[in-house]
Amino acid sequence: MLSLVLWRIRVTLNDNRQLVGQMLAFDRHMNLVLADCEEFRRIKQKKKANTEDDSAPSQELKRSLGLVILRGEMIVSLSVEGPPPQVDDDKKTAGLLPGPGRGGPAGRGMGMLPPIGAMPPGMGRGVPFAPPPGMPGLPGAPPPGFRPPGAPMGFPPGMPPPPPGLTSSSLSILSGQQADLTMLQLPIQLPSGPNETPLVTVSKTHEHVWVIELHNGVDNRITEDMCVRALGPALILVESQWRDNHWRKAYEDKTDGEKKIASGALIIIANRKQQKFFSNGFDFPKLLKKPHFIPNSYDPILKHLLGFPIPVIAAINGHAFAAGFMLALACDYRIMKSQKAWLSMNEILFGGPIPRSFSTLFNAKCTDAMVVRKVFLEAHRFTAQEALQVKLVDELVEGDSDAVFAAAVKLALGVSHLSRLGVYGLIKKEVYNRTLQGISENETVRIVHPPEEDEEFQRKVKSRL
């Protein structure tokens, strides 16, 4: 959405009106501010008397609204109408001669400048210009929010820019731990504030194998805090340490032909002290109160995993339902315990429509239409043996969580060499290019619930009667 600011967009509302205007701002609830807004709506003309034709032509009406603040709950879809307007500063000032006036900074808390005759040295006409330190827009001082020349970057040393969708709040969780992520001692729990409950633990079980262990309650629900304050920062931490401590050293060492130091793999597993749940998905009642949690907080996790630069193994040591199932599916490999573990998308059983990111991801990982039907339209609970048969998982393991973890470590060591030349994540992004685009589209496509669909159907039917 940020890339659409100042663009002209067309917004379709739930009453079939369309608004076209320049988007100035938006928020997490998809409330929009549109400038130079125009409204388009169709009305059905009255049927002329003494005519046998029941169909009456419709007429499109247009009116100018100007500046509009639009509630997100009314929005059905967005589309781009045109780029931001071009502003030619040279044309605006062409033919204008300098006048006797003067310019000065203005803003809250800033006093007026004294008359020219009373200006202090360095500020008068004909005197060498010396702006006060820190005054925005003047030489020698950066604009507000920008770094002074030579100042260090805003991200901690060795930390790459965040993947698309991961917010600065995710980064602040890590930067508060230690300035240099490459030197951060593992294991570490996130979030780790004084009054916060840790939701994940990041550790290393081998020189080249990282582990993210999820432990959010008894059934490991995927919440906003889990995504933004725990799992998202944990993925950034692992990628940063692999890049700085492994891959970059191997790349810069021209004498190392095998690049073994750049090996790497990641295991995602649920709390190993329990045997029941990998993840029970979203907390649906809370999800209804935060309709933009999925595109703003959860989808960035899927996108990061689909382009992660080292192999990622999901060690499914319990049931994986709904969003937990999708989290495992976004990984490169899936190892599942053979007993008392199910995979299921059960939204159809409790009336929860699925977001576009779910269908896009699943269609990239499974091309069997009958499996798609059983997963989404029948809410079938796949046992471990059934999941292996339809290739939703790669391997089954007899035993408890420790046995699943041991098998995942063995697989991680076997595939960790794939990341040595640094192209593993780049190739994944090309392979899943359409999938990543589809997940990004979920940011502008609003989930429609049954009452809204019924209302839309009634509106369409009545318009034809």
Side-chain angles (χ1 to χ4, degrees):
M1 286 293 291
L2 189 60
S3 61
L4 296 180
V5 172
L6 299 183
W7 284 61
R8 285 191 66 81
I9 62 172
R10 179 179 293 269
V11 183
T12 303
L13 306 182
N14 54 13
D15 59 1
N16 285 339
R17 289 183 298 155
Q18 292 188 336
L19 302 182
V20 178
Q22 184 181 20
M23 187 173 75
L24 300 183
F26 68 96
D27 65 8
R28 61 185 299 179
H29 304 293
M30 281 293 286
N31 300 321
L32 303 181
V33 179
L34 302 179
D36 300 327
C37 187
E38 297 175 326
E39 178 195 72
F40 297 88
R41 59 191 177 99
R42 286 191 169 275
I43 62 172
K44 195 171 183 179
Q45 296 181 346
K46 294 183 179 180
K47 185 176 65 174
K48 295 183 180 179
N50 302 324
T51 59
E52 297 181 356
D53 188 5
D54 292 335
S55 62
S58 61
Q59 179 184 7
E60 184 176 69
L61 298 182
K62 169 184 174 182
R63 64 171 178 164
S64 297
L65 302 180
L67 184 67
V68 171
I69 300 177
L70 188 61
R71 291 180 62 87
E73 62 186 17
M74 301 176 61
I75 297 174
V76 175
S77 65
L78 298 176
S79 61
V80 177
E81 283 288 299
Q86 298 294 326
V87 179
D88 192 343
D89 293 334
D90 294 335
K91 291 181 180 180
K92 293 171 63 176
T93 58
L96 297 180
L97 298 177
R102 58 186 176 87
R108 184 177 297 176
M110 182 174 289
M112 296 295 294
L113 290 175
I116 294 180
M119 282 186 180
M123 291 294 288
R125 192 175 292 175
V127 181
F129 190 71
M135 182 176 287
L138 297 177
F146 287 80
R147 303 187 316 276
M153 293 292 290
F155 294 112
M159 183 173 182
L166 287 179
T167 62
S168 57
S169 61
S170 299
L171 301 179
S172 65
I173 306 298
L174 293 174
S175 60
Q177 301 290 331
Q178 189 168 331
D180 192 348
L181 297 180
T182 63
M183 303 301 295
L184 199 62
Q185 295 297 317
L186 300 181
I188 183 174
Q189 293 186 322
L190 296 172
S192 59
N195 298 318
E196 294 180 305
T197 302
L199 302 176
V200 305
T201 299
V202 185
S203 61
K204 291 187 77 172
T205 189
H206 184 273
E207 180 185 3
H208 302 294
V209 179
W210 286 262
V211 179
I212 295 179
E213 185 172 338
L214 315 176
H215 42 79
N216 184 19
V218 294
D219 59 353
N220 222 10
R221 293 281 184 174
I222 297 178
T223 62
E224 186 172 25
D225 281 344
M226 166 67 85
C227 294
V228 176
R229 302 183 60 78
L231 185 53
L235 291 173
I236 295 177
L237 172 59
V238 172
E239 181 172 348
S240 299
Q241 291 202 344
W242 173 78
R243 289 187 179 279
D244 295 335
N245 295 339
H246 297 267
W247 183 82
R248 195 169 294 121
K249 290 181 179 180
Y251 178 77
E252 294 172 353
D253 186 358
K254 304 304 180 183
T255 63
D256 182 8
E258 296 186 5
K259 309 294 183 184
K260 289 185 178 181
I261 192 177
S263 300
L266 168 64
I267 298 172
I268 298 179
I269 189 171
N271 188 349
R272 283 188 277 166
K273 295 180 181 179
Q274 57 87 44
Q275 314 295 329
K276 189 172 182 179
F277 282 101
F278 176 78
S279 174
N280 202 11
F282 297 139
D283 188 338
F284 190 66
K286 292 183 179 179
L287 179 65
L288 293 176
K289 300 177 182 179
K290 296 183 177 182
H292 300 289
F293 155 68
I294 295 178
N296 292 347
S297 303
Y298 178 73
D299 286 353
I301 302 294
L302 301 182
K303 292 166 66 176
H304 197 176
L305 288 172
L306 288 174
F308 210 70
I310 60 178
V312 184
I313 297 101
I316 306 173
N317 55 336
H319 303 313
F321 293 153
F325 185 8
M326 292 295 105
L327 178 66
L329 210 60
C331 300
D332 301 311
Y333 302 90
R334 284 161 294 283
I335 292 181
M336 186 175 181
K337 76 173 187 173
S338 60
Q339 300 295 329
K340 297 182 179 179
W342 293 329
L343 300 180
S344 175
M345 295 295 297
N346 55 355
E347 280 81 357
I348 201 169
L349 300 181
F350 59 82
I354 64 170
R356 178 165 298 180
S357 54
F358 283 19
S359 59
T360 302
L361 173 61
F362 195 89
N363 286 323
K365 297 284 186 169
C366 178
T367 58
D368 190 328
M370 295 184 66
V371 175
V372 174
R373 182 181 66 194
K374 288 178 72 69
V375 169
F376 288 102
L377 301 181
E378 298 176 6
H380 181 74
R381 290 186 174 185
F382 287 82
T383 64
Q385 289 71 24
E386 290 174 327
L388 181 64
Q389 184 178 0
V390 298
K391 301 179 180 179
L392 291 176
V393 298
D394 301 281
E395 182 182 343
L396 301 184
V397 178
E398 295 282 348
D400 58 6
S401 294
D402 290 334
V404 176
F405 178 71
V409 172
K410 181 179 178 181
L411 176 60
L413 293 174
V415 298
S416 62
H417 67 281
L418 299 175
S419 63
R420 290 180 183 177
L421 298 181
V423 296
Y424 188 81
L426 295 175
I427 293 175
K428 284 171 59 175
K429 290 176 183 178
E430 289 302 320
V431 171
Y432 299 122
N433 179 41
R434 291 188 178 181
T435 308
L436 292 168
Q437 291 180 7
I439 294 176
S440 297
E441 289 177 1
N442 196 39
E443 298 176 3
T444 58
V445 178
R446 179 173 164 271
I447 295 178
V448 178
H449 293 273
E452 297 170 289
E453 185 190 33
D454 181 67
E455 183 180 348
E456 179 68 16
F457 174 77
Q458 295 294 337
R459 187 182 297 111
K460 288 181 179 179
V461 170
K462 290 179 181 179
S463 66
R464 296 176 183 176
L465 295 179

